């Protein structure tokens, strides 16, 4: 068990990659805090984790709401005394080409995908500094390295969270905290549900492995990065794309 007793917050943990990460962390012995805007789905995931013998707690938290984040962090510190890992996974898409993108589409994606990561990390960083240890993991994307048609807002947010980890690696490394980003290619989760089947097929054709990733294949990378096996990995943006960009 590579994460035994590690108190780990997973934002957007009720669906897709976040849910798979919660399950993987639980299998590796972590104490998992699942938070999401969707409380029913949070409760379902937490019940499943507990039924498998894991220690898990759930919170309704919107990553744009600093008071909700502070309440969750306070409750975790009271119950467990520490925060070891933060997986900043919550994210949305609101796609449109630049010429058609509205200010609302731009602001919502930046607010959740970029500022949400800042909000959650700010809420735990003092605790990690006091502990002299911690791991911060950000959900970026292949789009955060290469950009993508129709994703001005999303690309900016995903480039931004790579900028965060490179900065935090420099600022916090000497305090025992590591910060890294994961850049998946296309992963079979509900976030892709707005995409036409034809577009999904075309994406799969571009991948040398001729398929999308399963959420568990991204969760495995988060678990490894959170563990001591990745003890010298800091400020990295790790592409997990099946070779999509080659
Ligand atoms: N699926 C992919 O192909 C893919 C590729 C690269 C990166 N990513 C990134 O991985 C992360 C997870 O994506 P996914 O595919 O599992 O998506 P998903 O839609 O299945 O899950 C996202 C979760 O985030 C939650 N969420 C949305 N807004 C929130 C908010 N304001 N506060 C808290 N929770 C909120 C949703 O309720 C949902 O449970 C995202 O950051 C996404 O950008 C996904």
């Amino acid at each position: 068990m590579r994460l035994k007793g590690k108190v780990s917050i997973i934002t957007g943990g009720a669906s897709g990659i976040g849910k798979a990460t919660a399950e993987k962390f639980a299998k590796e012995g972590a104490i998992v805090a699942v938070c999401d805007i969707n409380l029913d789905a949070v409760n379902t995931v937490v019940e499943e984790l507990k039924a498998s013998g894991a220690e898990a707690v759930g919170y309704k938290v919107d990553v744009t709401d600093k008071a909700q984040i502070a309440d969750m962090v306070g409750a975790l510190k009271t119950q467990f005394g520490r925060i070891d890992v933060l997986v900043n996974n919550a994210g949305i898409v609101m796609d449109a080409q630049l010429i058609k993108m509205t200010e609302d589409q731009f602001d919502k994606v930046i607010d959740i995908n970029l500022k949400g990561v800042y909000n959650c990390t700010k809420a735990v960083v003092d605790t990690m500094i006091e502990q002299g240890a911690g791991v911060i993991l950000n959900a970026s994307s292949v789009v955060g390295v290469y950009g993508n048609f129709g994703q001005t807002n999303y690309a900016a947010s995903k480039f931004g969270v790579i900028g965060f980890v490179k900065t935090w690696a420099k600022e916090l490394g000497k305090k025992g905290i590591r910060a890294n980003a994961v850049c998946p290619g296309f992963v079979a989760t509900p976030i892709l549900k707005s995409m036409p089947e034809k577009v999904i097929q075309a994406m799969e054709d571009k991948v040398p492995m001729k398929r999308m990733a399963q959420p568990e294949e991204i969760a495995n990378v988060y678990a490894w990065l959170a563990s001591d096996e990745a003890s010298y990995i800091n400020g990295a943006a790790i592409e997990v794309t099946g070779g999509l960009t080659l």
Side-chain angles (χ1 to χ4, degrees), residues 153-181:
N153 49 2
Y154 187 79
S157 71
K158 296 303 185 183
F159 269 78
V161 300
I162 292 177
F164 284 166
V165 299
K166 292 195 182 292
T167 300
W168 298 339
K170 288 184 178 178
E171 290 183 359
L172 303 172
K174 60 180 171 292
K175 299 181 191 298
I177 299 166
R178 294 186 292 109
N180 292 294

PDB file of all heavy atoms in Angstrom, residues 153-181:
ATOM      1  N   ASN A 153     -10.480  29.050 -23.817  1.00  0.00           N
ATOM      2  CA  ASN A 153     -10.634  29.143 -22.356  1.00  0.00           C
ATOM      3  C   ASN A 153      -9.989  27.950 -21.646  1.00  0.00           C
ATOM      4  O   ASN A 153      -9.209  28.090 -20.703  1.00  0.00           O
ATOM      5  CB  ASN A 153     -12.124  29.281 -21.991  1.00  0.00           C
ATOM      6  CG  ASN A 153     -13.011  28.235 -22.692  1.00  0.00           C
ATOM      7  OD1 ASN A 153     -12.531  27.368 -23.432  1.00  0.00           O
ATOM      8  ND2 ASN A 153     -14.311  28.330 -22.459  1.00  0.00           N
ATOM      9  N   TYR A 154     -10.291  26.747 -22.135  1.00  0.00           N
ATOM     10  CA  TYR A 154      -9.791  25.512 -21.517  1.00  0.00           C
ATOM     11  C   TYR A 154      -8.266  25.438 -21.646  1.00  0.00           C
ATOM     12  O   TYR A 154      -7.562  25.107 -20.683  1.00  0.00           O
ATOM     13  CB  TYR A 154     -10.454  24.321 -22.210  1.00  0.00           C
ATOM     14  CG  TYR A 154     -10.182  22.971 -21.606  1.00  0.00           C
ATOM     15  CD1 TYR A 154     -10.853  22.542 -20.468  1.00  0.00           C
ATOM     16  CD2 TYR A 154      -9.273  22.096 -22.193  1.00  0.00           C
ATOM     17  CE1 TYR A 154     -10.616  21.283 -19.928  1.00  0.00           C
ATOM     18  CE2 TYR A 154      -9.032  20.836 -21.663  1.00  0.00           C
ATOM     19  CZ  TYR A 154      -9.708  20.439 -20.531  1.00  0.00           C
ATOM     20  OH  TYR A 154      -9.468  19.185 -19.998  1.00  0.00           O
ATOM     21  N   ALA A 155      -7.746  25.769 -22.842  1.00  0.00           N
ATOM     22  CA  ALA A 155      -6.288  25.718 -23.041  1.00  0.00           C
ATOM     23  C   ALA A 155      -5.597  26.687 -22.088  1.00  0.00           C
ATOM     24  O   ALA A 155      -4.581  26.334 -21.465  1.00  0.00           O
ATOM     25  CB  ALA A 155      -5.940  26.052 -24.493  1.00  0.00           C
ATOM     26  N   ALA A 156      -6.137  27.892 -21.947  1.00  0.00           N
ATOM     27  CA  ALA A 156      -5.526  28.878 -21.040  1.00  0.00           C
ATOM     28  C   ALA A 156      -5.497  28.321 -19.615  1.00  0.00           C
ATOM     29  O   ALA A 156      -4.491  28.434 -18.906  1.00  0.00           O
ATOM     30  CB  ALA A 156      -6.299  30.191 -21.088  1.00  0.00           C
ATOM     31  N   SER A 157      -6.603  27.694 -19.201  1.00  0.00           N
ATOM     32  CA  SER A 157      -6.656  27.161 -17.831  1.00  0.00           C
ATOM     33  C   SER A 157      -5.661  26.019 -17.651  1.00  0.00           C
ATOM     34  O   SER A 157      -4.998  25.915 -16.610  1.00  0.00           O
ATOM     35  CB  SER A 157      -8.077  26.693 -17.484  1.00  0.00           C
ATOM     36  OG  SER A 157      -8.434  25.506 -18.182  1.00  0.00           O
ATOM     37  N   LYS A 158      -5.515  25.172 -18.665  1.00  0.00           N
ATOM     38  CA  LYS A 158      -4.653  23.993 -18.514  1.00  0.00           C
ATOM     39  C   LYS A 158      -3.170  24.350 -18.674  1.00  0.00           C
ATOM     40  O   LYS A 158      -2.308  23.693 -18.083  1.00  0.00           O
ATOM     41  CB  LYS A 158      -5.091  22.891 -19.491  1.00  0.00           C
ATOM     42  CG  LYS A 158      -6.504  22.357 -19.223  1.00  0.00           C
ATOM     43  CD  LYS A 158      -6.665  21.822 -17.801  1.00  0.00           C
ATOM     44  CE  LYS A 158      -8.012  21.186 -17.542  1.00  0.00           C
ATOM     45  NZ  LYS A 158      -8.172  20.738 -16.141  1.00  0.00           N
ATOM     46  N   PHE A 159      -2.850  25.369 -19.523  1.00  0.00           N
ATOM     47  CA  PHE A 159      -1.488  25.905 -19.518  1.00  0.00           C
ATOM     48  C   PHE A 159      -1.206  26.516 -18.134  1.00  0.00           C
ATOM     49  O   PHE A 159      -0.116  26.369 -17.585  1.00  0.00           O
ATOM     50  CB  PHE A 159      -1.321  27.012 -20.581  1.00  0.00           C
ATOM     51  CG  PHE A 159      -0.849  26.539 -21.934  1.00  0.00           C
ATOM     52  CD1 PHE A 159      -1.735  25.928 -22.820  1.00  0.00           C
ATOM     53  CD2 PHE A 159       0.461  26.717 -22.342  1.00  0.00           C
ATOM     54  CE1 PHE A 159      -1.317  25.509 -24.082  1.00  0.00           C
ATOM     55  CE2 PHE A 159       0.886  26.297 -23.606  1.00  0.00           C
ATOM     56  CZ  PHE A 159      -0.002  25.688 -24.475  1.00  0.00           C
ATOM     57  N   GLY A 160      -2.200  27.211 -17.589  1.00  0.00           N
ATOM     58  CA  GLY A 160      -2.035  27.918 -16.312  1.00  0.00           C
ATOM     59  C   GLY A 160      -1.694  26.997 -15.166  1.00  0.00           C
ATOM     60  O   GLY A 160      -0.818  27.307 -14.345  1.00  0.00           O
ATOM     61  N   VAL A 161      -2.335  25.829 -15.110  1.00  0.00           N
ATOM     62  CA  VAL A 161      -2.062  24.950 -13.952  1.00  0.00           C
ATOM     63  C   VAL A 161      -0.688  24.298 -14.057  1.00  0.00           C
ATOM     64  O   VAL A 161      -0.132  23.851 -13.055  1.00  0.00           O
ATOM     65  CB  VAL A 161      -3.175  23.894 -13.715  1.00  0.00           C
ATOM     66  CG1 VAL A 161      -4.516  24.583 -13.450  1.00  0.00           C
ATOM     67  CG2 VAL A 161      -3.274  22.883 -14.837  1.00  0.00           C
ATOM     68  N   ILE A 162      -0.123  24.268 -15.278  1.00  0.00           N
ATOM     69  CA  ILE A 162       1.285  23.834 -15.410  1.00  0.00           C
ATOM     70  C   ILE A 162       2.190  24.947 -14.877  1.00  0.00           C
ATOM     71  O   ILE A 162       3.158  24.688 -14.154  1.00  0.00           O
ATOM     72  CB  ILE A 162       1.617  23.470 -16.870  1.00  0.00           C
ATOM     73  CG1 ILE A 162       0.857  22.208 -17.287  1.00  0.00           C
ATOM     74  CG2 ILE A 162       3.135  23.250 -17.031  1.00  0.00           C
ATOM     75  CD1 ILE A 162       1.045  21.797 -18.746  1.00  0.00           C
ATOM     76  N   GLY A 163       1.849  26.188 -15.191  1.00  0.00           N
ATOM     77  CA  GLY A 163       2.593  27.324 -14.632  1.00  0.00           C
ATOM     78  C   GLY A 163       2.574  27.299 -13.115  1.00  0.00           C
ATOM     79  O   GLY A 163       3.599  27.565 -12.455  1.00  0.00           O
ATOM     80  N   PHE A 164       1.426  26.947 -12.540  1.00  0.00           N
ATOM     81  CA  PHE A 164       1.336  26.837 -11.063  1.00  0.00           C
ATOM     82  C   PHE A 164       2.364  25.836 -10.536  1.00  0.00           C
ATOM     83  O   PHE A 164       3.103  26.123  -9.596  1.00  0.00           O
ATOM     84  CB  PHE A 164      -0.048  26.340 -10.640  1.00  0.00           C
ATOM     85  CG  PHE A 164      -1.178  27.340 -10.708  1.00  0.00           C
ATOM     86  CD1 PHE A 164      -2.505  26.898 -10.634  1.00  0.00           C
ATOM     87  CD2 PHE A 164      -0.942  28.702 -10.811  1.00  0.00           C
ATOM     88  CE1 PHE A 164      -3.564  27.798 -10.673  1.00  0.00           C
ATOM     89  CE2 PHE A 164      -2.004  29.609 -10.855  1.00  0.00           C
ATOM     90  CZ  PHE A 164      -3.311  29.152 -10.782  1.00  0.00           C
ATOM     91  N   VAL A 165       2.376  24.621 -11.106  1.00  0.00           N
ATOM     92  CA  VAL A 165       3.245  23.595 -10.485  1.00  0.00           C
ATOM     93  C   VAL A 165       4.724  23.935 -10.667  1.00  0.00           C
ATOM     94  O   VAL A 165       5.536  23.618  -9.797  1.00  0.00           O
ATOM     95  CB  VAL A 165       2.951  22.132 -10.936  1.00  0.00           C
ATOM     96  CG1 VAL A 165       1.543  21.721 -10.565  1.00  0.00           C
ATOM     97  CG2 VAL A 165       3.250  21.890 -12.395  1.00  0.00           C
ATOM     98  N   LYS A 166       5.052  24.579 -11.776  1.00  0.00           N
ATOM     99  CA  LYS A 166       6.465  24.940 -11.966  1.00  0.00           C
ATOM    100  C   LYS A 166       6.872  26.014 -10.941  1.00  0.00           C
ATOM    101  O   LYS A 166       7.984  25.999 -10.410  1.00  0.00           O
ATOM    102  CB  LYS A 166       6.714  25.383 -13.406  1.00  0.00           C
ATOM    103  CG  LYS A 166       6.553  24.201 -14.370  1.00  0.00           C
ATOM    104  CD  LYS A 166       7.096  24.429 -15.733  1.00  0.00           C
ATOM    105  CE  LYS A 166       6.854  23.233 -16.646  1.00  0.00           C
ATOM    106  NZ  LYS A 166       7.618  22.038 -16.276  1.00  0.00           N
ATOM    107  N   THR A 167       5.953  26.917 -10.649  1.00  0.00           N
ATOM    108  CA  THR A 167       6.213  27.966  -9.652  1.00  0.00           C
ATOM    109  C   THR A 167       6.224  27.382  -8.234  1.00  0.00           C
ATOM    110  O   THR A 167       7.133  27.674  -7.443  1.00  0.00           O
ATOM    111  CB  THR A 167       5.128  29.049  -9.776  1.00  0.00           C
ATOM    112  OG1 THR A 167       5.187  29.576 -11.096  1.00  0.00           O
ATOM    113  CG2 THR A 167       5.326  30.162  -8.762  1.00  0.00           C
ATOM    114  N   TRP A 168       5.240  26.548  -7.940  1.00  0.00           N
ATOM    115  CA  TRP A 168       5.165  25.964  -6.586  1.00  0.00           C
ATOM    116  C   TRP A 168       6.344  25.029  -6.329  1.00  0.00           C
ATOM    117  O   TRP A 168       6.840  24.935  -5.197  1.00  0.00           O
ATOM    118  CB  TRP A 168       3.829  25.233  -6.392  1.00  0.00           C
ATOM    119  CG  TRP A 168       2.642  26.144  -6.504  1.00  0.00           C
ATOM    120  CD1 TRP A 168       2.641  27.509  -6.360  1.00  0.00           C
ATOM    121  CD2 TRP A 168       1.291  25.781  -6.819  1.00  0.00           C
ATOM    122  NE1 TRP A 168       1.369  28.006  -6.562  1.00  0.00           N
ATOM    123  CE2 TRP A 168       0.530  26.978  -6.840  1.00  0.00           C
ATOM    124  CE3 TRP A 168       0.640  24.573  -7.085  1.00  0.00           C
ATOM    125  CZ2 TRP A 168      -0.843  26.992  -7.115  1.00  0.00           C
ATOM    126  CZ3 TRP A 168      -0.729  24.579  -7.357  1.00  0.00           C
ATOM    127  CH2 TRP A 168      -1.457  25.776  -7.364  1.00  0.00           C
ATOM    128  N   ALA A 169       6.791  24.326  -7.383  1.00  0.00           N
ATOM    129  CA  ALA A 169       7.963  23.457  -7.218  1.00  0.00           C
ATOM    130  C   ALA A 169       9.151  24.294  -6.748  1.00  0.00           C
ATOM    131  O   ALA A 169       9.902  23.885  -5.849  1.00  0.00           O
ATOM    132  CB  ALA A 169       8.292  22.756  -8.529  1.00  0.00           C
ATOM    133  N   LYS A 170       9.299  25.482  -7.333  1.00  0.00           N
ATOM    134  CA  LYS A 170      10.418  26.358  -6.954  1.00  0.00           C
ATOM    135  C   LYS A 170      10.210  26.953  -5.554  1.00  0.00           C
ATOM    136  O   LYS A 170      11.143  27.051  -4.770  1.00  0.00           O
ATOM    137  CB  LYS A 170      10.560  27.501  -7.966  1.00  0.00           C
ATOM    138  CG  LYS A 170      11.098  27.031  -9.298  1.00  0.00           C
ATOM    139  CD  LYS A 170      11.312  28.186 -10.253  1.00  0.00           C
ATOM    140  CE  LYS A 170      11.890  27.671 -11.572  1.00  0.00           C
ATOM    141  NZ  LYS A 170      12.094  28.696 -12.569  1.00  0.00           N
ATOM    142  N   GLU A 171       8.969  27.368  -5.257  1.00  0.00           N
ATOM    143  CA  GLU A 171       8.725  28.038  -3.978  1.00  0.00           C
ATOM    144  C   GLU A 171       8.686  27.058  -2.796  1.00  0.00           C
ATOM    145  O   GLU A 171       9.096  27.392  -1.692  1.00  0.00           O
ATOM    146  CB  GLU A 171       7.375  28.784  -4.018  1.00  0.00           C
ATOM    147  CG  GLU A 171       7.379  30.000  -4.928  1.00  0.00           C
ATOM    148  CD  GLU A 171       6.064  30.765  -4.890  1.00  0.00           C
ATOM    149  OE1 GLU A 171       5.122  30.355  -4.165  1.00  0.00           O
ATOM    150  OE2 GLU A 171       5.961  31.766  -5.591  1.00  0.00           O
ATOM    151  N   LEU A 172       8.139  25.864  -3.042  1.00  0.00           N
ATOM    152  CA  LEU A 172       7.796  24.983  -1.914  1.00  0.00           C
ATOM    153  C   LEU A 172       8.692  23.759  -1.789  1.00  0.00           C
ATOM    154  O   LEU A 172       8.606  23.027  -0.804  1.00  0.00           O
ATOM    155  CB  LEU A 172       6.329  24.525  -2.041  1.00  0.00           C
ATOM    156  CG  LEU A 172       5.297  25.657  -2.111  1.00  0.00           C
ATOM    157  CD1 LEU A 172       3.912  25.112  -2.437  1.00  0.00           C
ATOM    158  CD2 LEU A 172       5.259  26.431  -0.795  1.00  0.00           C
ATOM    159  N   GLY A 173       9.546  23.526  -2.794  1.00  0.00           N
ATOM    160  CA  GLY A 173      10.404  22.330  -2.772  1.00  0.00           C
ATOM    161  C   GLY A 173      11.219  22.228  -1.502  1.00  0.00           C
ATOM    162  O   GLY A 173      11.318  21.156  -0.891  1.00  0.00           O
ATOM    163  N   LYS A 174      11.760  23.363  -1.066  1.00  0.00           N
ATOM    164  CA  LYS A 174      12.626  23.315   0.132  1.00  0.00           C
ATOM    165  C   LYS A 174      11.818  23.105   1.407  1.00  0.00           C
ATOM    166  O   LYS A 174      12.376  22.864   2.471  1.00  0.00           O
ATOM    167  CB  LYS A 174      13.474  24.587   0.234  1.00  0.00           C
ATOM    168  CG  LYS A 174      12.694  25.872   0.348  1.00  0.00           C
ATOM    169  CD  LYS A 174      13.651  27.076   0.435  1.00  0.00           C
ATOM    170  CE  LYS A 174      12.945  28.403   0.346  1.00  0.00           C
ATOM    171  NZ  LYS A 174      12.346  28.689  -0.955  1.00  0.00           N
ATOM    172  N   LYS A 175      10.502  23.190   1.300  1.00  0.00           N
ATOM    173  CA  LYS A 175       9.644  22.959   2.479  1.00  0.00           C
ATOM    174  C   LYS A 175       9.077  21.529   2.484  1.00  0.00           C
ATOM    175  O   LYS A 175       8.143  21.224   3.218  1.00  0.00           O
ATOM    176  CB  LYS A 175       8.514  23.991   2.494  1.00  0.00           C
ATOM    177  CG  LYS A 175       9.051  25.419   2.577  1.00  0.00           C
ATOM    178  CD  LYS A 175       7.940  26.441   2.621  1.00  0.00           C
ATOM    179  CE  LYS A 175       8.444  27.861   2.424  1.00  0.00           C
ATOM    180  NZ  LYS A 175       9.385  28.334   3.460  1.00  0.00           N
ATOM    181  N   GLY A 176       9.582  20.695   1.589  1.00  0.00           N
ATOM    182  CA  GLY A 176       9.171  19.285   1.588  1.00  0.00           C
ATOM    183  C   GLY A 176       7.904  19.017   0.787  1.00  0.00           C
ATOM    184  O   GLY A 176       7.315  17.938   0.899  1.00  0.00           O
ATOM    185  N   ILE A 177       7.497  20.008  -0.020  1.00  0.00           N
ATOM    186  CA  ILE A 177       6.253  19.848  -0.795  1.00  0.00           C
ATOM    187  C   ILE A 177       6.608  19.694  -2.272  1.00  0.00           C
ATOM    188  O   ILE A 177       7.398  20.472  -2.805  1.00  0.00           O
ATOM    189  CB  ILE A 177       5.345  21.081  -0.588  1.00  0.00           C
ATOM    190  CG1 ILE A 177       4.988  21.194   0.901  1.00  0.00           C
ATOM    191  CG2 ILE A 177       4.095  20.994  -1.469  1.00  0.00           C
ATOM    192  CD1 ILE A 177       4.394  22.534   1.291  1.00  0.00           C
ATOM    193  N   ARG A 178       6.030  18.680  -2.913  1.00  0.00           N
ATOM    194  CA  ARG A 178       6.206  18.493  -4.352  1.00  0.00           C
ATOM    195  C   ARG A 178       4.929  18.889  -5.082  1.00  0.00           C
ATOM    196  O   ARG A 178       3.834  18.669  -4.559  1.00  0.00           O
ATOM    197  CB  ARG A 178       6.517  17.021  -4.679  1.00  0.00           C
ATOM    198  CG  ARG A 178       7.839  16.525  -4.144  1.00  0.00           C
ATOM    199  CD  ARG A 178       8.151  15.112  -4.614  1.00  0.00           C
ATOM    200  NE  ARG A 178       7.270  14.102  -4.062  1.00  0.00           N
ATOM    201  CZ  ARG A 178       6.345  13.449  -4.756  1.00  0.00           C
ATOM    202  NH1 ARG A 178       6.163  13.686  -6.047  1.00  0.00           N
ATOM    203  NH2 ARG A 178       5.591  12.538  -4.172  1.00  0.00           N
ATOM    204  N   ALA A 179       5.081  19.493  -6.274  1.00  0.00           N
ATOM    205  CA  ALA A 179       3.911  19.884  -7.077  1.00  0.00           C
ATOM    206  C   ALA A 179       4.133  19.427  -8.512  1.00  0.00           C
ATOM    207  O   ALA A 179       5.170  19.729  -9.111  1.00  0.00           O
ATOM    208  CB  ALA A 179       3.727  21.397  -7.024  1.00  0.00           C
ATOM    209  N   ASN A 180       3.168  18.699  -9.047  1.00  0.00           N
ATOM    210  CA  ASN A 180       3.278  18.179 -10.411  1.00  0.00           C
ATOM    211  C   ASN A 180       1.932  18.244 -11.122  1.00  0.00           C
ATOM    212  O   ASN A 180       0.882  18.300 -10.473  1.00  0.00           O
ATOM    213  CB  ASN A 180       3.764  16.723 -10.379  1.00  0.00           C
ATOM    214  CG  ASN A 180       5.201  16.606  -9.900  1.00  0.00           C
ATOM    215  OD1 ASN A 180       6.133  17.059 -10.563  1.00  0.00           O
ATOM    216  ND2 ASN A 180       5.384  16.037  -8.707  1.00  0.00           N
ATOM    217  N   ALA A 181       1.988  18.226 -12.450  1.00  0.00           N
ATOM    218  CA  ALA A 181       0.761  18.221 -13.252  1.00  0.00           C
ATOM    219  C   ALA A 181       0.708  16.955 -14.100  1.00  0.00           C
ATOM    220  O   ALA A 181       1.742  16.415 -14.487  1.00  0.00           O
ATOM    221  CB  ALA A 181       0.733  19.453 -14.157  1.00  0.00           C
TER     222      ALA A 181
END
